[in-house]
Amino acid sequence: MAAEALPDITVADAVVIGAASTRIDGAPAVLARARAAFADAGAITLPSALEPAFLRTVLTVCRRGPVVPEQIGQIGWRTVEERDTAGFALRFALERPAFVRWLETATGGETLRRLAGVVAEIGAGTGQELGWHNDLHEGALGRRLAVTIHLSDEPYDGGVFEMRDEASGRLLVRTGALPPGSIILFRIDQRLRHRVTPVTSGGPRRVFAGWFSV
């Protein structure tokens, strides 16, 4: 029996985020596409959304490191940027009001007030992975929308992001490596779970992993 097709969550050319400004395609059809994808799967992919020059700068900073281990409770572990240089630049860009207001409209209208997040890596052969979880552990109950920006500049296998409905087990999203600068936005909810599988070769899988809270 063929596997059930997953919802198409790609919204192309909606947003371009640069070091100094953000461009939003305000066409009603683009916003409608984003709202439909989020309503269907609880997630949106914005391919290659970082402006190329900004992306090159961020990748240069990421390559310099260093990174340090981070254990995330019982979920798993990864390494994160020690000096928070690239993470700071990305948070600053993502918090621009035009982008935040677009996100609010595309994802249901709830006011988003704060963004936290880090640049993180999962390497091959390290045992690093993040098991099924919902990002709503103690102290993080205000999180509503997760954002993952793909920042890998070396190909890798594994490192697949998956999201499912907890009650039914239905898989809603399954995404492997995306072009650098691509963004995945997904709903944080008690009814949903997501994970990242181990990287089996290549890489590392590098992303900015963050959360908008209310």
Side-chain angles (χ1 to χ4, degrees):
M1 181 181 296
E4 181 181 357
L6 298 180
D8 180 5
I9 61 172
T10 302
V11 183
D13 303 321
V15 175
V16 178
I17 299 173
S21 64
T22 297
R23 301 193 301 275
I24 306 289
D25 187 336
V30 175
L31 182 59
R33 170 77 188 111
R35 297 184 71 172
F38 198 79
D40 191 19
I44 301 168
T45 296
L46 304 174
S48 303
L50 294 191
E51 189 272 330
F54 183 39
L55 175 61
R56 287 193 296 271
T57 298
V58 169
L59 292 181
T60 297
V61 173
C62 289
R63 292 186 198 108
R64 292 174 184 159
V67 295
V68 294
E70 181 187 50
Q71 181 71 39
I72 309 176
Q74 301 300 311
I75 297 168
W77 74 285
R78 60 189 180 179
T79 56
V80 298
E81 184 184 31
E82 183 176 39
R83 295 174 182 151
D84 191 38
T85 306
F88 178 86
L90 289 166
R91 292 194 304 275
F92 180 83
L94 292 169
E95 287 183 313
R96 291 187 186 119
F99 182 56
V100 176
R101 301 290 86 80
W102 185 86
L103 289 180
E104 291 170 348
T105 304
T107 62
E110 194 166 19
T111 300
L112 303 174
R113 302 188 184 280
R114 300 181 303 279
L115 173 64
V118 296
V119 172
E121 295 183 357
I122 292 179
T126 61
Q128 295 171 330
E129 65 178 314
L130 301 178
W132 291 109
H133 62 288
N134 63 12
D135 285 343
L136 290 174
H137 55 273
E138 185 177 353
L141 298 181
R143 293 175 179 175
R144 291 294 185 272
L145 184 67
V147 52
T148 299
I149 306 177
H150 282 248
L151 299 171
S152 299
D153 47 7
E154 296 291 341
Y156 62 87
D157 296 312
V160 175
F161 169 80
E162 295 180 324
M163 187 169 74
R164 72 184 184 194
D165 177 83
E166 180 67 3
S168 67
R170 180 193 173 208
L171 192 64
L172 300 170
V173 179
R174 189 175 196 274
T175 302
L178 294 176
S182 297
I183 299 175
I184 300 177
L185 303 150
F186 59 96
R187 189 192 309 275
I188 299 297
D189 192 295
Q190 293 282 6
R191 297 165 292 183
L192 301 173
R193 298 289 187 275
H194 60 275
R195 70 174 179 176
V196 178
T197 65
V199 174
T200 56
S201 65
R205 178 190 191 267
R206 182 194 300 130
V207 300
F208 171 85
W211 309 267
F212 284 97
S213 300
V214 295

